[in-house]
Amino acid sequence: MTPDERFEQLKLQLPPAPLPLGVYKPFLIIGNLVYVSGHGPLLPDKTLIKGRVGDTLNEEEGKQAAQQVGLAILATLKQNLGSFNHIKRVIKVFGMVAATPGFEKHPYIINGCSELFASVWGSDNGVGVRSAVGMGSLPGNIPVEIEAVFELENAQFAVYPV
């Protein structure tokens, strides 16, 4: 099955691709690598999941927020590439979790995004290297922010306009 077909089987809804909230590009191709800026947990109705893990959100809600961040990243990929099939593999995921000082399960939270990517690109190509760290706060009181790097299937998009 292709990544597009795998995503269809998940029966998940993509939010709209988020617009930059500052001076940065949400998506950039260099050579055969796609860099995706930090995304938050954007919902299909364009609102954000808000809160802090260990305080207003429990672990499962935090993990769901990370999955929603993954969906926002997928929306950016789909908007700019037209298909998940153009991605060969996940290279790196960097996840930040706004949590209480005593919270220690940041990797579990970021699994929400990593498991989504593994479902789309498979257990080998969908899993890359990763960091999961805690933060005292994140922009807009969001509980999770994630940035990612992907490898393109080929470099045909090397000069793709954004």
Side-chain angles (χ1 to χ4, degrees):
M1 287 177 51
T2 69
D4 284 344
E5 292 168 338
R6 285 190 195 112
F7 181 76
E8 287 299 318
Q9 280 196 331
L10 296 173
K11 306 236 185 285
L12 296 171
Q13 183 181 5
L14 292 177
L19 298 172
L21 298 176
V23 183
Y24 65 90
K25 295 176 189 267
F27 175 92
L28 184 64
I29 295 174
I30 299 179
N32 67 338
L33 297 180
V34 175
Y35 294 83
V36 180
S37 292
H39 280 51
L42 184 65
L43 295 165
D45 68 1
K46 298 183 182 179
T47 62
L48 291 164
I49 296 171
K50 296 193 176 220
R52 198 160 90 148
V53 180
D55 180 18
T56 56
L57 299 175
N58 65 34
E59 290 175 24
E60 292 308 314
E61 291 167 323
K63 185 176 180 184
Q64 183 63 39
Q67 179 183 6
Q68 196 60 45
V69 176
L71 289 168
I73 290 170
L74 291 179
T76 293
L77 293 173
K78 186 85 160 183
Q79 176 180 294
N80 287 280
L81 298 174
S83 170
F84 305 130
N85 297 340
H86 297 303
I87 298 293
K88 180 177 181 179
R89 71 168 299 119
V90 176
I91 299 293
K92 181 170 177 59
V93 169
F94 178 69
M96 296 160 272
V97 180
T100 57
F103 187 78
E104 298 178 351
K105 296 184 178 177
H106 307 92
Y108 177 79
I109 301 301
I110 301 304
N111 280 348
C113 178
S114 296
E115 290 168 2
L116 172 65
F117 290 172
S119 295
V120 173
W121 287 286
S123 59
D124 186 34
N125 287 341
V127 178
V129 298
R130 188 181 89 174
S131 298
V133 299
M135 302 286 174
S137 67
L138 288 170
N141 193 33
I142 60 174
V144 180
E145 181 175 343
I146 298 171
E147 63 180 49
V149 181
F150 301 88
E151 181 183 4
L152 286 167
E153 189 63 47
N154 60 53
Q156 72 177 359
F157 293 99
V159 278
Y160 194 88
V162 177

